[in-house]
Amino acid sequence: MQGNNRDDLIRKPPAQKHDGVIYEPSGRAPRQRHSTYKPPGAELPRPPQRVSARRYPSGDIRRYRSEAQARKSNSFTAFYIITLFIGMVICVVIFAIVFNSFGNTPPPSLTQTPEATLPAQTVVNDIRQTTAIVAALSVADGSVRLTDLTTETTASYNLLLDSQSTMKDKYGNAMIFAQFNVGDIVDVSFNAADSTIEAMDISAKAWEHTQITDARIDPEAGTITVGNNRYGYTGQLMTYYNGAPYELGKIESADVLTIRGYRDKAWFINLMKGHGALAVTGKDEIKGGKLEIDTSIYMELDNASSVEVPEGTHRIVVKGDNIEPYIVEGFVINHDSVETLDLSGVTFLEGRLIIVPNVPNCTVTLDDTEVSIIEPLELLFGEYAVKVEKEGYLPYEGTVIIDAPSQELNVELEKEAEIGRLIVTTEPAGAEVYVNDERIGVSPVESELEYGDHTITIRLEGHNIWTKTITIDKPESPYNIIMQPIVATEPPAITFPPSEPPASPTPSPADSGDGLFLYEPPTL
């Protein structure tokens, strides 16, 4: 075998040559089935072979084969192009037929009823009108999805904008499709046959509350209260914030809302301004503080640990009895975030306190801290505890409130009273002793009394009452009182008076005249 040519390796029947014409078997000839019966001693006939003849110079077989293959490739390419073209033509024809059938062929029920009096176009268009809310829309492809508000089932329609579609606002002014938004309540007229919009107008029958706060949403009752108006809502209620769905449960009373509805139900809530929280720190030293946010929020500073505030830029004012007004312009509150207002930088007010006692060389303490009062005291506004003391005087304790640039405190110290001891004994003992009409005990008894005059009264059963005003002017004042028993007297006899009255007896110097005898020991 010579060479590596694939044609040389293919075993083929030998070619026959007659007068310059080469006869060779055709490779495209189909193989034929023949009976395999062979009589004894006979040979099976060879299957007939189809040969093709082509005039070529003797021996130029390779050139012939190359041309044959080229003709075969060109024929296949032409067949492919023709087939593709015919297929395209068929597709165009089918599409035209189908399109015409949708646009012009009436429904079967009408075509089968020759008695129908309605025009074919009116029935085919199937125009419907309803009030719906825009649930979704695409300006790019002119499509809109509407939720019907006039039926209990809240049916949805996917509609397309048509070149003949008209659009208006609730005042009758022309609109374009791009001016519609999700949540708009519209009166729509559309062709149910091909889902195209005939007319879509902002509904004048819908209601709207714009830029409101303090809307009360009750999920359990399924109601929304705006002022004196109460509306119901269903699971179809749409809540949006910044053009995206938002969770209804996150809405707070401080949020700014726009609510739209139809009849007695709310269908759309647009969160215009959300809320954040304001945390106030550094406020412990501020007395009587007040917090003011814009012109809408006023509250005690002590209650302002965390305050819900609408998102946006705000003006914050903090006032107090002991600070200068603290003003912050352009304080930003972000939605669903907590912003901190630090008051540690406020300016506290100061005042001068002058303490003037009525005696010199006093000891003065202010909030339990000893201070000098030689010079006026510079103090922050507020309340302070003052104590002034001096030996021999009663101490002064009180409070002073610094709420002015300068103020004076006059202190009057009272001298301490001198105390003497009263010692009372009686004969017999066991008498009740009273000083200034207050019982101090049973004799013998002692009591401390301030220097000065005091009234002493002694009572003992079966004895005369003893009472006297004494003076306490020394450390100890002892008194021993001899109680005189009560003496019974007989009634006098009836006698005639003498011509001359008898002389009266002279009382003894030791007799006090009341039947009592007083013993006063010598002064110590």
Side-chain angles (χ1 to χ4, degrees):
M1 184 176 297
Q2 298 179 356
N4 295 325
N5 192 289
R6 182 175 176 274
D7 293 335
D8 297 334
L9 299 178
I10 298 176
R11 182 178 296 175
K12 295 183 178 180
Q16 300 180 14
K17 180 178 179 182
H18 297 280
D19 297 332
V21 178
I22 299 175
Y23 297 88
E24 63 178 1
S26 173
R28 294 190 298 271
R31 304 181 71 177
Q32 300 182 5
R33 295 177 178 239
H34 301 275
S35 173
T36 57
Y37 172 75
K38 177 182 177 184
E43 294 183 357
L44 290 176
R46 283 188 166 185
Q49 294 184 353
R50 188 173 59 183
V51 298
S52 59
R54 177 79 64 172
R55 293 182 178 273
Y56 281 101
S58 177
D60 201 357
I61 304 300
R62 293 184 179 178
R63 180 180 177 185
Y64 159 73
R65 292 176 178 171
S66 175
E67 290 180 357
Q69 291 177 357
R71 287 193 300 272
K72 178 180 179 181
S73 176
N74 292 337
S75 299
F76 178 78
T77 301
F79 174 79
Y80 177 81
I81 293 174
I82 294 172
T83 303
L84 181 62
F85 177 78
I86 295 173
M88 292 176 64
V89 171
I90 293 173
C91 289
V92 171
V93 172
I94 293 174
F95 178 82
I97 294 173
V98 172
F99 182 83
N100 289 333
S101 66
F102 276 108
N104 300 322
T105 304
S109 60
L110 295 181
T111 56
Q112 296 171 5
T113 308
E115 296 81 16
T117 57
L118 293 176
Q121 183 177 4
T122 302
V123 177
V124 169
N125 285 340
D126 191 11
I127 303 301
R128 301 182 187 180
Q129 295 179 347
T130 189
T131 300
I133 185 170
V134 177
L137 81 164
S138 172
V139 177
D141 56 12
S143 63
V144 61
R145 178 162 56 87
L146 302 177
T147 300
D148 198 328
L149 305 183
T150 62
T151 62
E152 294 295 332
T153 57
T154 58
S156 293
Y157 309 107
N158 294 314
L159 305 178
L160 294 173
L161 194 65
D162 187 79
S163 60
Q164 303 299 321
S165 301
T166 62
M167 289 156 283
K168 298 178 182 179
D169 62 16
K170 63 181 178 180
Y171 304 107
N173 301 317
M175 294 179 62
I176 60 174
F177 188 67
Q179 292 178 293
F180 287 90
N181 297 292
V182 171
D184 286 341
I185 297 177
V186 296
D187 294 326
V188 62
S189 174
F190 65 96
N191 189 345
D194 58 2
S195 299
T196 57
I197 298 172
E198 297 288 323
M200 187 168 70
D201 306 331
I202 298 294
S203 178
K205 297 178 290 185
W207 53 263
E208 181 179 67
H209 296 284
T210 306
Q211 300 286 331
I212 62 169
T213 58
D214 199 26
R216 298 181 296 280
I217 302 174
D218 187 348
E220 295 183 359
T223 60
I224 299 175
T225 303
V226 181
N228 296 324
N229 301 311
R230 178 175 294 180
Y231 308 98
Y233 70 90
T234 67
Q236 299 289 332
L237 174 68
M238 297 188 297
T239 305
Y240 273 67
Y241 172 69
N242 280 345
Y246 189 74
E247 186 176 342
L248 179 65
K250 291 184 177 181
I251 294 179
E252 299 290 344
S253 59
D255 294 340
V256 180
L257 309 176
T258 291
I259 303 178
R260 297 193 191 104
Y262 180 70
R263 294 177 180 170
D264 61 344
K265 284 187 174 59
W267 291 99
F268 180 77
I269 296 179
N270 189 25
L271 180 58
M272 310 297 292
K273 281 188 178 181
H275 69 278
L278 174 66
V280 183
T281 61
K283 58 186 175 62
D284 295 339
E285 300 300 323
I286 300 177
K287 307 300 181 183
K290 301 287 190 298
L291 175 66
E292 176 184 331
I293 303 176
D294 300 326
T295 57
S296 57
I297 299 178
Y298 300 89
M299 63 189 311
E300 298 291 334
L301 192 60
D302 291 339
N303 301 328
S305 297
S306 181
V307 185
E308 289 183 357
V309 182
E311 67 173 319
T313 302
H314 302 275
R315 183 177 189 266
I316 299 178
V317 179
V318 178
K319 297 179 181 179
D321 297 338
N322 60 339
I323 64 169
E324 294 182 357
Y326 185 73
I327 301 174
V328 180
E329 300 284 357
F331 192 90
V332 178
I333 298 291
N334 295 310
H335 181 59
D336 278 346
S337 66
V338 179
E339 311 297 337
T340 301
L341 176 65
D342 185 9
L343 299 180
S344 59
V346 300
T347 301
F348 286 89
L349 298 174
E350 293 185 351
R352 302 177 66 191
L353 175 62
I354 303 172
I355 300 178
V356 183
N358 62 336
V359 293
N361 303 323
C362 296
T363 301
V364 180
T365 58
L366 205 64
D367 285 346
D368 298 327
T369 301
E370 186 173 340
V371 296
S372 173
I373 59 173
I374 297 177
E375 298 291 338
L377 301 174
E378 299 289 342
L379 302 174
L380 296 175
F381 274 26
E383 183 176 336
Y384 298 88
V386 180
K387 187 174 183 179
V388 181
E389 298 175 292
K390 184 174 182 180
E391 186 177 356
Y393 291 83
L394 296 176
Y396 167 86
E397 294 185 10
T399 59
V400 61
I401 298 176
I402 306 300
D403 56 2
S406 179
Q407 59 192 90
E408 185 175 293
L409 176 63
N410 294 308
V411 177
E412 295 288 335
L413 295 181
E414 296 181 2
K415 194 171 183 179
E416 289 182 340
E418 293 182 286
I419 303 298
R421 184 180 296 276
L422 172 66
I423 304 171
V424 177
T425 58
T426 62
E427 295 180 11
E432 292 184 346
V433 180
Y434 295 83
V435 175
N436 299 329
D437 294 330
E438 292 185 4
R439 187 178 183 274
I440 64 172
V442 177
S443 63
V445 66
E446 297 181 3
S447 178
E448 291 184 348
L449 302 176
E450 294 182 2
Y451 279 21
D453 294 337
H454 302 276
T455 300
I456 300 176
T457 303
I458 302 174
R459 292 184 176 93
L460 181 63
E461 186 177 357
H463 294 74
N464 294 319
I465 297 175
W466 186 89
T467 181
K468 187 176 182 180
T469 299
I470 64 173
T471 300
I472 302 297
D473 56 2
K474 48 187 177 291
E476 288 187 355
S477 299
Y479 288 89
N480 182 37
I481 309 300
I482 300 173
M483 302 298 294
Q484 298 297 319
I486 299 175
V487 178
T489 59
E490 296 180 0
I494 300 175
T495 59
F496 292 100
S499 58
E500 292 183 5
S504 299
T506 303
S508 172
D511 189 354
S512 62
D514 54 4
L516 301 178
F517 295 89
L518 174 63
Y519 169 74
E520 293 185 3
T523 303
L524 298 179

